[in-house]
Amino acid sequence: MIEYQNILDSINQSVIKEQNKGTIASYIPELTNVDINDFGIHLQLVSGEQFSVGNSHQPFSIQSISKVLSLALAMSQVGTAIWERLDVEPSGNPFNHLSLLELEEGIPRNPFINSGAIVIADILVSNLKNPKADFLNYVRDITGDNSIDYNYKVAQSEKETGFNNYAAANLLKSFNNLHNDVEDVLDFYFHQCALEMTCQQLSKAFFLFANKGNCLANKARLTKSQAKRINAIMLTCGFYDEAGEFAFEVGLPGKSGVGGGIVALLPNQFVISVWSPGLNERGNSKLGMQALEQFTTLANQSIF
Amino acid sequence: MIEYQNILDSINQSVIKEQNKGTIASYIPELTNVDINDFGIHLQLVSGEQFSVGNSHQPFSIQSISKVLSLALAMSQVGTAIWERLDVEPSGNPFNHLSLLELEEGIPRNPFINSGAIVIADILVSNLKNPKADFLNYVRDITGDNSIDYNYKVAQSEKETGFNNYAAANLLKSFNNLHNDVEDVLDFYFHQCALEMTCQQLSKAFFLFANKGNCLANKARLTKSQAKRINAIMLTCGFYDEAGEFAFEVGLPGKSGVGGGIVALLPNQFVISVWSPGLNERGNSKLGMQALEQFTTLANQSIF
Amino acid sequence: MIEYQNILDSINQSVIKEQNKGTIASYIPELTNVDINDFGIHLQLVSGEQFSVGNSHQPFSIQSISKVLSLALAMSQVGTAIWERLDVEPSGNPFNHLSLLELEEGIPRNPFINSGAIVIADILVSNLKNPKADFLNYVRDITGDNSIDYNYKVAQSEKETGFNNYAAANLLKSFNNLHNDVEDVLDFYFHQCALEMTCQQLSKAFFLFANKGNCLANKARLTKSQAKRINAIMLTCGFYDEAGEFAFEVGLPGKSGVGGGIVALLPNQFVISVWSPGLNERGNSKLGMQALEQFTTLANQSIF
Amino acid sequence: MIEYQNILDSINQSVIKEQNKGTIASYIPELTNVDINDFGIHLQLVSGEQFSVGNSHQPFSIQSISKVLSLALAMSQVGTAIWERLDVEPSGNPFNHLSLLELEEGIPRNPFINSGAIVIADILVSNLKNPKADFLNYVRDITGDNSIDYNYKVAQSEKETGFNNYAAANLLKSFNNLHNDVEDVLDFYFHQCALEMTCQQLSKAFFLFANKGNCLANKARLTKSQAKRINAIMLTCGFYDEAGEFAFEVGLPGKSGVGGGIVALLPNQFVISVWSPGLNERGNSKLGMQALEQFTTLANQSIF
């Protein structure tokens, strides 16, 4: 019997003492309104038990973590046809590099680099009646929590400064791999990234990936095979150019966001969400990465 | 005494027989409204004499050739300060590659790749009162011909399909190397590229580069040093990834456009303009390149 | 209770019917002396049971699969210090690309691209008394099989045609990331790649990765943490630029070689080795990949 | 009448005062045996007059400048067939980058990047009876000076440390673009680069490029067209990734070497050679570049 609460407490103790907490993302002003000392973990076992420590009930901007949720919805809507428009290989490059996209003629490397997530957004804009409302409902549904919402200020702020995403969307369009208007797709994409969730809500949202496609309310939202495949993409592509490092050090499928959140999971066992807003030089939560390394060491659990 | 008229006639004879005339640019519908058999040359000597053959008085879309004229105006307005925002090295890559721009953190390789020309457009938008009108007046002034105008349909067509240029402008903006709004800069840029000129008008417009900075009406529009430097950039960067080939085969500073125009010059001697709308696989006029090779061989003149 | 023998038989039936068996590697003459119809599988459970089908006892050239074994020996000899000389990130590029190595100033992306494996070979040459003999003994030891040997003709053949590997080794040397003579390192490397093993031997050799670092004879040859980390690298980097695809379709850590072998494993459960010499266009065994996809589907087992 | 001697004296005065003289190349020990204060210029007019200042009679290692001479000999031996094995486009990259070579499948960008010069060396090894002796005789012949020789210590030193050139030669071999043994080609190449010449000898050797292919003794050693084309390649590719800058600032075809030499020429007018061993950060002689900028400004002569 693993003493999960003791493990979380011990991680919290160790992390509080850390002097260098990383750097808060500053590329949009709205993201800087957080306290560098904020830190929370929530652990949701597939068996139903929950454990938490710190600010696990404080909402933060989930940013790129949302790409896993939009991918899940796109796969459930369109099935394998999405793979005609993007690939599943790691990029080995920072998250905003357009070079590979150009070299590979408009086919994004995977759904978690920005250009890939924009293609997924394009697919959802084509297939949903009210894209923003429908996606929000999907997230609320799988989480079982209607209080989840977009932060509209953050979405607006990203729109005003998201020139790199505009560049990516236009480049995709020049290769005929964006079917809707650039503005419509990015409006959806910026809202998707501006979702605010707590650690607890994140753990619940990702429950279906640890539970063979069935969400917390035990309803099938993905096939078992789809859940497995999304886990594989998280493992190989979930951490920008630190994906190999995370697999090496932590050994769990997961996804990070520049808001400082990380969610990771062990199939059939648990989902764990960590939040600490300071980032390392590769754009992943510095203390979040440390916390997850400690967790898998102490709990002695990983897919490997 | 060189028999220029005989040389032009002989080139015309040889070119008419050519079976493979290349492919007309199709990336904007408006550019396809030309006859693949159109062909014209105009030669303007610095001494004043003129020679021509074929459709030398028929206007065509000068496209990228306009980048030399916008560079000249920017240099005369802002001087050497423009080189803080872009470089003068050949790119060794096709004209639309954003990869280098990303690798070199938003500093375009030279003013003739699209991203460099967009930075020049940004400089002009910042420095001209009525950018489109003022630029048109500048071109009319140096050419001494008020009939020159934009083709507004072509400009509109480029706007609707110019996703790669939107990508470049937004990427520049993400690196803080675009000071005005993307829409304002590209509106100017698309009009600039949509200038329509005849071979004769092109030769007259480029007269100042062959004549130490003094235009046809013998007024100084550039310093001698500025004219020399623009010639150097034309030689090293004027033909996308065929710049070395053109220097090797022809040996003159020059600039091509996807409308099928090419203008080249020998300092203190002449300007020559050729138009044939069929392009080779590198985006330069196929017969235009051939015609200029024959011209420098027959006239036995080059900078080398 | 999973009916493993039925599954292997069923895969064998299905694979025999496949018309397109891929292309045998031809870059060294010695590798072409195999029959395109050769096909074998061997499954070794951690619990001890074994299952096999086809030519599972026929030796073949394991080629790049040997990189996992040399990495294991280097880790057990030198520990974490090896990571000062190479990284653990996926390359997202074909196995022989030197570009990334140059861009990243002589630090190979991971130990499974050629340049990374050459650095590992250099480490072993520095640390072993008789590198070739000692490495062979290590492989015999963990496999419990003294009949395993190098194919010296293959090694010689690689030496005579391995210009790309000579290029990589010299480039590493120019960045001071090769400490021994190029010839000495490559002599070791070419022998390592020229190991011949059967499917059965491969399963036994890789047993320690599935068994927390303990080999078949239940002796500790790696720490549990080292075994876990090598599994992580296999998953993210084991299949050249098809690593993401393999994780996505199969969902097991594994490694392929151009001899047509693939070995994969599920920690604490099993090791499975497949051999079919025809390669797909990305250099991995075509039928081997299919066989493993079918196996994980039918056995319903993967790390995800 | 231009006062050339006054101009050279004035440049010498100005250059002596310069505090920052750049950095002497240290990649091979033998190259460091020079005095940072050494400085010389020699100017050879096509009309026959000569002017000089400083250490214009002191031999130095011409290094990459030799690539122009080997290209000239290869063109005179093999003609246009050499262009089946390499291109004439600027590389836009530092001189030792293998990435482009790999991307472009073994076809070097131009004859002045290392890989291109190695292909030229391969051609000479195939076509000359005694490559090293024959090449030396060629250089002595066009210069009219039998005292020119290789520095065998420098050649040996390059051989022992030239790992990047070994990498390039092996990469070329892997693409079947090297016909002789790597060792034979590089032995020739390292000697070629180890030629020692004075500024005066360099001016005389390059006389044929300024004089329509006829050397100082007025014998035809290249056709007029070949001389013109080599000049074009010098202009577009002669200065690594500073070629555009040199064309822009100086406006003459030329070639630099890491020994600190630069030779430049104005067709039909003059050849000028400068030597100052301190390099700028792009590998070209720092004071040599300055001297040539001053020369073309003061003499008011350039091809543009």
Side-chain angles (χ1 to χ4, degrees):
Chain A
M1 175 77 204
I2 305 171
E3 296 286 350
Y4 285 117
Q5 190 60 49
N6 288 353
I7 293 175
L8 297 197
D9 291 341
S10 149
I11 294 171
N12 193 33
Q13 294 295 321
S14 138
V15 150
I16 280 170
K17 291 182 212 139
E18 186 69 52
Q19 295 293 320
N20 179 351
K21 291 177 194 295
T23 312
I24 292 173
S26 61
Y27 76 98
I28 58 169
E30 291 296 331
L31 285 185
T32 60
N33 298 333
V34 287
D35 183 341
I36 188 74
N37 295 306
D38 282 337
F39 181 79
I41 310 183
H42 182 269
L43 173 68
Q44 169 77 52
L45 301 193
V46 168
S47 63
E49 282 177 283
Q50 302 179 45
F51 305 89
S52 67
V53 75
N55 311 60
S56 64
H57 287 63
Q58 186 176 329
F60 58 90
S61 193
I62 72 166
Q63 294 292 320
S64 289
I65 298 173
S66 68
K67 295 168 179 174
V68 188
L69 304 174
S70 63
L71 172 63
L73 181 52
M75 284 180 80
S76 71
Q77 292 264 329
V78 184
T80 55
I82 69 171
W83 305 116
E84 293 160 17
R85 294 180 56 191
L86 73 170
D87 209 341
V88 293
E89 294 302 322
S91 75
N93 268 313
F95 63 103
N96 59 349
H97 272 211
L98 303 182
S99 307
L100 266 178
L101 184 60
E102 190 170 47
L103 195 66
E104 294 173 358
E105 305 199 333
I107 301 298
R109 268 297 170 97
N110 64 63
F112 295 161
I113 54 172
N114 287 1
S115 56
I118 291 170
V119 167
I120 296 294
D122 185 52
I123 291 170
L124 290 178
V125 168
S126 293
N127 283 277
L128 301 177
K129 238 182 181 163
N130 301 299
K132 284 185 282 190
D134 294 354
F135 177 69
L136 184 57
N137 283 335
Y138 174 75
V139 176
R140 287 172 172 178
D141 165 57
I142 60 174
T143 315
D145 189 333
N146 284 326
S147 71
I148 296 169
D149 210 341
Y150 300 124
N151 181 322
Y152 294 92
K153 273 191 188 168
V154 168
Q156 184 59 29
S157 194
E158 302 221 34
K159 193 173 212 157
E160 286 159 11
T161 59
F163 302 115
N164 196 281
N165 285 316
Y166 273 96
N170 277 290
L171 189 53
L172 287 165
K173 191 98 184 162
S174 78
F175 283 112
N176 293 315
N177 200 8
L178 203 84
H179 300 171
N180 299 283
D181 277 356
V182 165
E183 287 296 342
D184 292 344
V185 176
L186 289 184
D187 179 61
F188 174 77
Y189 177 68
F190 289 138
H191 280 82
Q192 162 201 319
C193 290
L195 266 181
E196 280 194 344
M197 294 172 77
T198 68
C199 286
Q200 193 197 35
Q201 289 167 338
L202 263 186
S203 294
K204 291 180 187 309
F206 276 65
F207 191 89
L208 80 170
F209 304 116
N211 192 35
K212 304 186 177 70
N214 301 317
C215 69
L216 205 64
N218 210 25
K219 289 175 194 154
R221 290 292 174 262
L222 291 173
T223 67
K224 190 183 160 187
S225 162
Q226 288 172 330
K228 167 188 154 186
R229 287 169 180 214
I230 291 175
N231 288 338
I233 304 174
M234 279 196 261
L235 193 91
T236 51
C237 316
F239 292 84
Y240 312 130
D241 53 345
E242 209 171 9
E245 188 73 16
F246 191 79
F248 185 80
E249 297 286 353
V250 176
L252 295 177
K255 185 76 200 75
S256 66
V258 292
I262 306 180
V263 54
L265 61 98
L266 184 62
N268 306 315
Q269 301 296 326
F270 62 77
V271 183
I272 184 167
S273 300
V274 190
W275 176 52
S276 168
L279 307 181
N280 65 20
E281 68 288 343
R282 283 178 158 175
N284 297 311
S285 171
K286 185 173 181 297
L287 299 187
M289 299 290 274
Q290 282 182 29
L292 287 168
E293 279 174 47
Q294 289 180 33
F295 179 80
T296 50
T297 302
L298 295 172
N300 199 8
Q301 289 183 299
S302 101
I303 59 172
F304 300 119
Chain B
M1 175 77 205
I2 305 171
E3 297 285 352
Y4 285 118
Q5 190 60 49
N6 288 353
I7 292 176
L8 298 197
D9 291 341
S10 150
I11 295 170
N12 193 32
Q13 293 296 321
S14 139
V15 150
I16 280 170
K17 293 182 210 137
E18 186 69 52
Q19 296 293 320
N20 179 352
K21 292 177 194 294
T23 312
I24 292 173
S26 61
Y27 76 98
I28 57 170
E30 291 296 329
L31 285 184
T32 60
N33 297 333
V34 288
D35 183 342
I36 188 73
N37 295 306
D38 282 336
F39 180 78
I41 309 184
H42 182 269
L43 173 68
Q44 168 78 53
L45 301 193
V46 168
S47 63
E49 283 178 283
Q50 301 179 46
F51 305 89
S52 66
V53 75
N55 310 61
S56 64
H57 287 64
Q58 185 175 330
F60 58 88
S61 194
I62 72 166
Q63 294 293 319
S64 289
I65 297 174
S66 68
K67 294 169 180 174
V68 188
L69 304 175
S70 62
L71 172 63
L73 181 52
M75 283 180 81
S76 70
Q77 292 265 329
V78 184
T80 55
I82 70 171
W83 306 116
E84 293 160 17
R85 294 179 57 189
L86 71 170
D87 209 342
V88 293
E89 294 302 323
S91 75
N93 267 315
F95 63 103
N96 59 350
H97 272 210
L98 303 182
S99 308
L100 267 177
L101 184 59
E102 190 169 47
L103 195 66
E104 294 172 1
E105 305 200 335
I107 301 298
R109 269 296 171 96
N110 64 63
F112 295 161
I113 54 170
N114 286 1
S115 56
I118 291 170
V119 166
I120 295 294
D122 185 51
I123 290 171
L124 291 178
V125 168
S126 292
N127 283 277
L128 301 177
K129 236 179 182 165
N130 300 300
K132 284 185 283 189
D134 294 354
F135 177 69
L136 185 56
N137 282 336
Y138 174 75
V139 176
R140 287 172 172 178
D141 166 57
I142 60 173
T143 314
D145 189 332
N146 284 325
S147 71
I148 296 169
D149 210 342
Y150 300 125
N151 181 321
Y152 293 92
K153 270 192 189 169
V154 169
Q156 183 59 28
S157 194
E158 301 221 33
K159 193 174 212 157
E160 286 159 11
T161 59
F163 302 115
N164 195 281
N165 285 315
Y166 273 96
N170 277 289
L171 189 53
L172 287 165
K173 192 98 184 161
S174 78
F175 283 112
N176 293 315
N177 199 8
L178 203 84
H179 300 171
N180 298 283
D181 276 357
V182 165
E183 287 296 342
D184 293 344
V185 176
L186 289 184
D187 179 62
F188 174 78
Y189 178 69
F190 289 140
H191 280 83
Q192 163 201 319
C193 290
L195 266 180
E196 281 195 342
M197 293 173 77
T198 69
C199 285
Q200 194 198 34
Q201 288 166 338
L202 262 187
S203 293
K204 291 180 187 308
F206 275 65
F207 191 88
L208 80 170
F209 304 117
N211 192 35
K212 305 185 176 68
N214 300 318
C215 68
L216 205 64
N218 209 26
K219 289 176 195 152
R221 289 292 175 264
L222 291 173
T223 67
K224 189 182 162 187
S225 162
Q226 287 173 331
K228 167 189 155 186
R229 286 168 181 215
I230 291 175
N231 288 338
I233 304 174
M234 278 196 261
L235 193 92
T236 51
C237 315
F239 291 84
Y240 312 130
D241 53 345
E242 209 171 8
E245 187 73 17
F246 191 78
F248 185 80
E249 297 285 354
V250 177
L252 296 177
K255 186 75 200 78
S256 66
V258 293
I262 305 181
V263 55
L265 61 99
L266 183 62
N268 307 315
Q269 301 296 326
F270 63 77
V271 183
I272 184 167
S273 301
V274 190
W275 176 51
S276 168
L279 307 181
N280 65 20
E281 69 288 343
R282 282 176 159 175
N284 297 311
S285 171
K286 186 173 179 299
L287 299 188
M289 299 289 274
Q290 283 183 29
L292 287 167
E293 280 174 45
Q294 289 180 34
F295 179 79
T296 49
T297 302
L298 295 172
N300 200 8
Q301 289 183 299
S302 100
I303 59 172
F304 300 117
Chain C
M1 176 76 205
I2 305 172
E3 298 285 352
Y4 285 117
Q5 192 60 50
N6 288 352
I7 292 175
L8 297 195
D9 291 341
S10 149
I11 294 171
N12 194 32
Q13 294 297 320
S14 138
V15 150
I16 281 170
K17 291 181 212 140
E18 188 68 51
Q19 295 294 319
N20 179 351
K21 292 179 195 293
T23 312
I24 292 173
S26 61
Y27 76 99
I28 57 171
E30 291 296 329
L31 285 185
T32 60
N33 298 334
V34 287
D35 184 339
I36 188 73
N37 295 306
D38 282 337
F39 180 80
I41 309 184
H42 182 269
L43 173 69
Q44 170 77 52
L45 301 194
V46 169
S47 63
E49 284 178 281
Q50 302 179 48
F51 305 88
S52 66
V53 77
N55 311 61
S56 63
H57 288 63
Q58 186 175 329
F60 59 90
S61 193
I62 72 165
Q63 295 291 321
S64 291
I65 297 174
S66 68
K67 294 169 180 174
V68 188
L69 303 174
S70 63
L71 173 64
L73 182 52
M75 283 180 81
S76 71
Q77 293 265 330
V78 185
T80 55
I82 69 171
W83 306 116
E84 292 160 17
R85 295 179 56 190
L86 71 170
D87 208 342
V88 292
E89 294 301 323
S91 75
N93 268 315
F95 62 104
N96 59 351
H97 273 210
L98 303 182
S99 308
L100 266 177
L101 184 59
E102 190 169 49
L103 194 66
E104 295 172 0
E105 306 199 334
I107 302 298
R109 268 298 171 95
N110 64 64
F112 294 161
I113 54 172
N114 286 0
S115 56
I118 291 169
V119 167
I120 295 295
D122 185 52
I123 290 170
L124 291 178
V125 168
S126 292
N127 283 276
L128 300 178
K129 237 180 182 165
N130 301 299
K132 283 185 282 189
D134 294 355
F135 177 69
L136 184 57
N137 283 336
Y138 174 75
V139 176
R140 288 172 172 178
D141 165 57
I142 59 173
T143 314
D145 188 333
N146 284 326
S147 71
I148 297 170
D149 210 341
Y150 301 124
N151 181 322
Y152 294 91
K153 272 192 189 168
V154 169
Q156 184 59 29
S157 194
E158 302 221 34
K159 193 173 212 156
E160 286 159 11
T161 59
F163 302 114
N164 196 280
N165 285 316
Y166 274 96
N170 277 290
L171 188 53
L172 288 165
K173 192 97 182 160
S174 77
F175 284 111
N176 294 314
N177 199 9
L178 203 84
H179 300 173
N180 299 283
D181 276 357
V182 165
E183 287 296 343
D184 292 344
V185 176
L186 289 184
D187 180 61
F188 174 79
Y189 178 69
F190 290 139
H191 280 83
Q192 162 202 317
C193 290
L195 266 180
E196 281 193 342
M197 294 173 77
T198 69
C199 286
Q200 194 198 34
Q201 289 166 338
L202 262 187
S203 294
K204 291 183 188 306
F206 275 65
F207 191 88
L208 80 170
F209 306 115
N211 192 35
K212 304 187 177 70
N214 301 318
C215 69
L216 206 63
N218 210 25
K219 290 176 194 151
R221 289 293 175 262
L222 291 173
T223 67
K224 190 181 161 189
S225 163
Q226 288 172 331
K228 167 189 155 185
R229 285 166 183 218
I230 292 175
N231 288 337
I233 304 173
M234 279 197 260
L235 193 92
T236 52
C237 317
F239 293 85
Y240 312 130
D241 53 345
E242 209 171 10
E245 188 73 17
F246 191 78
F248 185 79
E249 297 286 354
V250 176
L252 296 177
K255 185 75 200 79
S256 66
V258 293
I262 306 180
V263 55
L265 61 98
L266 184 61
N268 307 314
Q269 302 294 327
F270 63 77
V271 183
I272 184 167
S273 301
V274 190
W275 175 51
S276 168
L279 307 181
N280 65 20
E281 67 288 344
R282 283 177 159 174
N284 297 309
S285 170
K286 186 173 180 296
L287 298 187
M289 298 290 274
Q290 282 181 31
L292 287 168
E293 279 173 46
Q294 288 179 35
F295 179 79
T296 49
T297 302
L298 294 172
N300 199 6
Q301 289 184 300
S302 102
I303 59 172
F304 300 118
Chain D
M1 176 78 205
I2 304 172
E3 297 286 353
Y4 285 116
Q5 191 59 50
N6 288 352
I7 292 175
L8 297 196
D9 291 341
S10 149
I11 294 171
N12 194 32
Q13 293 297 320
S14 137
V15 150
I16 281 170
K17 291 182 210 138
E18 187 69 51
Q19 295 294 319
N20 179 351
K21 293 178 194 292
T23 311
I24 293 173
S26 61
Y27 76 99
I28 58 171
E30 291 296 329
L31 285 185
T32 60
N33 297 334
V34 287
D35 184 340
I36 188 74
N37 295 306
D38 282 337
F39 180 80
I41 310 183
H42 182 270
L43 173 69
Q44 169 77 52
L45 301 193
V46 169
S47 62
E49 283 177 282
Q50 300 179 46
F51 306 88
S52 67
V53 76
N55 311 59
S56 63
H57 287 62
Q58 186 175 329
F60 58 89
S61 194
I62 72 166
Q63 295 292 318
S64 290
I65 297 174
S66 68
K67 295 169 180 173
V68 188
L69 303 174
S70 62
L71 173 64
L73 182 52
M75 283 179 80
S76 71
Q77 292 266 329
V78 185
T80 54
I82 69 171
W83 305 117
E84 293 160 17
R85 294 180 55 191
L86 72 169
D87 209 342
V88 292
E89 294 302 323
S91 75
N93 268 314
F95 63 103
N96 59 350
H97 272 208
L98 303 182
S99 307
L100 266 177
L101 184 59
E102 189 169 49
L103 195 66
E104 295 173 359
E105 305 199 335
I107 302 298
R109 269 297 170 95
N110 64 63
F112 295 161
I113 54 172
N114 286 0
S115 56
I118 291 170
V119 167
I120 295 295
D122 185 52
I123 290 169
L124 291 178
V125 168
S126 293
N127 283 278
L128 300 177
K129 238 182 182 163
N130 301 300
K132 283 185 283 190
D134 295 355
F135 177 69
L136 185 57
N137 282 337
Y138 174 75
V139 176
R140 288 171 172 178
D141 166 56
I142 59 173
T143 314
D145 189 332
N146 283 327
S147 71
I148 296 170
D149 210 341
Y150 300 125
N151 181 321
Y152 294 91
K153 272 193 188 168
V154 168
Q156 184 59 30
S157 194
E158 302 220 34
K159 193 174 212 156
E160 286 159 12
T161 58
F163 302 115
N164 195 280
N165 285 317
Y166 274 96
N170 277 290
L171 189 53
L172 287 165
K173 192 98 182 160
S174 77
F175 284 112
N176 292 314
N177 200 9
L178 204 83
H179 301 172
N180 298 283
D181 276 357
V182 165
E183 287 296 343
D184 293 343
V185 176
L186 288 184
D187 180 61
F188 174 78
Y189 178 69
F190 290 140
H191 280 83
Q192 163 201 318
C193 290
L195 266 180
E196 280 194 342
M197 294 173 78
T198 69
C199 286
Q200 194 198 33
Q201 289 166 338
L202 262 186
S203 294
K204 291 182 188 307
F206 275 65
F207 191 88
L208 80 169
F209 304 117
N211 192 34
K212 303 186 178 69
N214 300 318
C215 70
L216 206 63
N218 209 25
K219 291 176 194 151
R221 289 293 175 261
L222 291 173
T223 67
K224 189 182 161 189
S225 162
Q226 288 173 332
K228 167 188 155 185
R229 286 167 183 216
I230 291 176
N231 289 338
I233 304 174
M234 279 197 259
L235 192 92
T236 52
C237 317
F239 293 84
Y240 311 130
D241 53 345
E242 209 171 9
E245 188 73 16
F246 191 78
F248 185 80
E249 298 286 354
V250 176
L252 296 176
K255 185 75 199 79
S256 66
V258 293
I262 305 180
V263 55
L265 62 98
L266 184 61
N268 307 315
Q269 301 295 328
F270 63 76
V271 183
I272 184 167
S273 300
V274 191
W275 176 51
S276 168
L279 308 182
N280 65 19
E281 68 288 343
R282 283 177 159 175
N284 297 310
S285 171
K286 186 174 180 295
L287 298 188
M289 299 291 274
Q290 281 181 31
L292 286 168
E293 279 174 45
Q294 287 179 35
F295 179 79
T296 49
T297 302
L298 294 172
N300 199 8
Q301 289 183 300
S302 101
I303 59 171
F304 300 118

